């Protein structure tokens, strides 16, 4: 059986990637989420092993040394990486969705040139800031840092395969599903 595709979905924090990904997976049974490892502490609604594997910095660095990551990056003060082991297994069953930022996306593109890279834009920067604050679970100093980072991330969209706008989560999810085919 041929392998499923690697679908990279990037977009600034607060752009609504989580909702879009959830809607996509509700509509298709052949899509599998790549669960990243991170050293960031869990948010109240996050489940270990489902949203992320929450690990210590020591463990994360040990995984780097063992070449256990398809890609990884350090941003917003924390490490984030895609463990390799789950990817092959999930690609036997369908397409794999990676919610990762541009540095990681670049690493995926160089190691897996057939990966499909999609960048999600907010309707505007003002709307992104409103959404970041509205979530209410991010401290103010981190909001400023994330906004700076968001601006840099949005500049990176030029080298992605597709750029979509999340003006409406359902419409955006459908647009990405059409891209996947
Ligand atoms: P958050 O802390 O809001 O869950 O995620 C912050 C950023 O980290 C998001 O842009 C998300 O796409 C990115 N991210 C999550 N997991 C990974 C990963 O495994 N690798 C990389 N490079 N970025 C990730």
């Amino acid at each position: 059986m041929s392998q499923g595709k690697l679908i990279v979905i990037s977009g600034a924090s607060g752009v609504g990637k989580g909702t879009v990904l959830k809607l996509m997976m509700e509509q298709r049974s052949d899509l599998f989420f790549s669960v990243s490892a991170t050293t960031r502490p869990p948010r109240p609604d996050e489940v270990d092993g489902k949203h992320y594997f929450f690990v210590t910095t020591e463990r994360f660095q040990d995984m780097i040394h063992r070449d256990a990551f398809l890609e990884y990056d350090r941003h917003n003060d924390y490490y984030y990486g895609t463990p390799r082991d789950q990817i092959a297994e999930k690609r036997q069953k369908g397409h794999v969705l990676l919610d990762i930022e541009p540095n990681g996306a670049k690493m995926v593109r160089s190691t897996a040139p057939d990966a499909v890279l999609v960048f999600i834009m907010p309707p505007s920067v003002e709307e992104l800031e409103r959404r970041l604050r509205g979530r209410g679970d991010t401290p103010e100093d981190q909001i400023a840092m994330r906004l700076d980072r968001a601006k840099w991330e949005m500049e990176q969209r030029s080298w992605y395969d597709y750029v979509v706008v999340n003006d409406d989560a359902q419409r955006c999810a459908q647009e990405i599903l059409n891209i996947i085919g």
Side-chain angles (χ1 to χ4, degrees), residues 136-167:
D137 58 6
T138 314
E140 192 60 31
D141 58 334
Q142 279 201 26
I143 289 182
M145 188 165 72
R146 279 172 181 248
L147 267 175
D148 273 354
R149 168 96 191 164
K151 287 175 190 156
W152 171 79
E153 285 196 25
M154 289 189 280
E155 286 164 13
Q156 305 305 307
R157 71 184 183 278
S158 58
W159 50 264
Y160 277 67
D161 298 315
Y162 300 92
V163 178
V164 299
V165 178
N166 185 15
D167 45 0

Side-chain angles (χ1 to χ4, degrees), residues 9 11 13 17 36-37 40 43 46 52 71-73 75-76 80-82 99-101 104 135 146 153:
I9 314 273
S13 182
K17 268 174 304 177
S36 295
R40 168 171 77 60
R43 298 193 181 115
E46 287 179 330
Y52 281 105
E71 61 73 36
Y72 72 91
D73 186 52
H75 53 270
N76 298 340
Y80 295 82
T82 305
D99 170 354
I100 63 176
E101 53 65 65
R135 197 154 68 182
R146 279 172 181 248
E153 285 196 25

